[in-house]
Amino acid sequence: MDLITITFYFLATLTIVFSGIVVFSKNIMHSAFALLFTLFGVAGLYVLLSADFLAITQLMLYIGGILVLIIFGVVLTSRITGIDVRAGSLGKIQLFAAVIITVVIAASLIWMFKSTKWYMAEMKEVNSTVRQIGNELLTNYLLAFEAASMLLLLAIVGAALIARKKH
Amino acid sequence: MESINFLYELLGKNALTITLVVILPLGFVLIYALVAILAELKTSAWIQERLGPMRTGPWGILQPVAEVIKLIQKEDITPAKADKLLYNAAPFIVFTGAYSAFAVIPFSEYFAPSRIDLGLFYIFAVGSISALGIVMGGWASNNKYSMMGAMRSVAQLISYEVPAAIAILSIVVLTSTMNLQEINKLQTGWFWNWFLFGGPGTLAKWWIVPFTIILCMIYFIAALAETNRLPFDIPEGESELVAGFHTEYSGIKFAMFFFAEYAYMFVVAAILTTVFLGGWNSPFGNLMQGPGWGVFWFIFKGFSVVMVQIWIRWTLPRFRVDQLMYLGWKILLPISFVCFLIISLYVMLK
């Protein structure tokens, strides 16, 4: 096994173990912080796929933005941290439904994975992905790029409006 | 692919050299932190007309070593009602966040642990890991002061990341690369090629020089806030919050927070050095230029910036929370946007 394979298995185990903790932990804060390692593991997998821009964007947006927001939400909500977040009396029915859905999705994913003929791309030394991404965004995908920026602008204006003092 | 790592060139790229490359900055951080602590003690003493530590070793130079030994020996207390797991993990996560930024810092022409193209973007991305570590520690301590300190710290970090990022982004518009090593190479030559003075180019660049100097100052102010240093140390504000997010920590775990703060101080100093002050380039053209001198210039410039941070800490009083937010969002951010637009205009006209 070479270094890259070992790294892959390490990151994959990290991601899976901690996403298990996210789902199964009784303490919502532990879930939130386990998400840090899960997202970090996914970012590491992106690095192994030579998608360095995607990996760092993952760190920036998911860890620096969304996870901080989730943790703030949990911390600022009073008396949420001590509560067992697992389902209560309805739990049995929900558990039953969840197991069925999980099995169906897992089975179809495995079936798809087995039945697809995978195209193995050759390993290439990729230089400067960010330059290519920038050029593509401002030429071929300009409309999508501008639409996304409009959406974000609207979100910012909306957030500022909601946060304003009522007169 | 050119190799920029002297260790890989000498010994080949294998598991051992990769480990060495990863560990080398750690050794630097440990020694640097001791020197910085001594500098902090001595500078504070001089500013307040004291002598500072004089008994430990000649002229007190062994004082930081003594303090670290003292901290290691101290009893490691975990509060009974604390969340043990997160409480113990937090100092390590904070230090990891500060240390991971060293992965892209170019110490010399022949030594930068990684040569990824997204160096600057990466440094801003990993900065958020320490923020999470701080919230983790603050929440797990189960103490109101710690919690308040952690919330303030993260609010401050997120607010000041915006002007800092815009300031750096303006220089990226000039360089059209985010690779720290490339940015260094652009600034070779005399000191007027530094991006503090508008970067390389003919005399036509004179009208953007004021704006690059303003950007440098904006980045420096935002960096002070991101490292929780005075005048922005409201997360630790002793008169309000005891010691902020690390109120409950003692012994070696407190030392970890301490080291992380000093390591992060050097990280922001290193970014400032690389982006605005020419990195490992000599200020005097070819005089004293070269790989060995590169390490000297880089550490010299970085440490000078750290010294300015220390100097400011002992000179200015602390901001209030609302003043801090006002400064970040209503003063620094608009100014940095104006500078960004002007530099973009310059690049378009060029």
Side-chain angles (χ1 to χ4, degrees), chain A residues 27-136:
Chain A
N27 186 328
I28 193 163
M29 276 307 264
H30 285 188
S31 295
F33 281 117
L35 204 56
L36 166 69
F37 294 94
T38 312
L39 297 169
F40 193 79
V42 175
L45 291 176
Y46 286 143
V47 172
L48 285 187
L49 293 169
S50 298
D52 52 354
F53 185 78
L54 198 58
I56 296 172
T57 313
Q58 164 96 2
L59 279 183
M60 189 92 181
L61 294 185
Y62 281 88
I63 295 181
I66 292 173
L67 189 54
V68 169
L69 206 66
I70 289 175
I71 286 171
F72 260 58
V74 172
V75 166
L76 290 176
T77 313
S78 57
R79 278 172 282 157
I80 195 175
T81 46
I83 296 171
D84 186 351
V85 287
R86 291 180 306 179
S89 55
L90 263 171
K92 287 275 153 41
I93 310 161
Q94 285 179 342
L95 187 72
F96 187 65
V99 165
I100 291 175
I101 294 169
T102 313
V103 166
V104 169
I105 291 176
S108 53
L109 278 177
I110 290 169
W111 174 76
M112 243 172 0
F113 181 76
K114 288 281 181 197
S115 62
T116 313
K117 281 191 96 175
W118 293 99
Y119 165 69
M120 295 294 280
E122 279 173 45
M123 285 285 277
K124 271 195 294 189
E125 187 72 34
V126 185
N127 276 324
S128 186
T129 47
V130 62
R131 203 171 287 271
Q132 289 171 25
I133 291 171
N135 281 335
E136 288 291 316

Side-chain angles (χ1 to χ4, degrees), chain A residues 30, chain B residues 78-90 139-141 249 253:
Chain A
H30 285 188
Chain B
T78 309
K81 288 283 177 73
D83 189 316
K84 300 260 176 339
L85 190 69
L86 296 182
Y87 180 84
N88 290 323
W139 181 82
S141 300
Y249 284 89
K253 280 181 239 153

Side-chain angles (χ1 to χ4, degrees), chain B residues 145 148-150 152-153 156 228 232-237 241 243-245:
Chain B
Y145 291 125
M148 291 279 288
R152 283 182 177 192
S153 175
Q156 179 175 327
N228 297 336
F232 301 104
D233 78 332
I234 55 155
E236 301 174 19
L241 293 177
F245 59 89

Side-chain angles (χ1 to χ4, degrees), chain B residues 330-343:
Chain B
K330 293 196 174 166
I331 299 178
L332 293 184
L333 190 61
I335 297 178
S336 60
F337 272 131
V338 169
C339 294
F340 179 70
L341 285 177
I342 287 170
I343 286 184

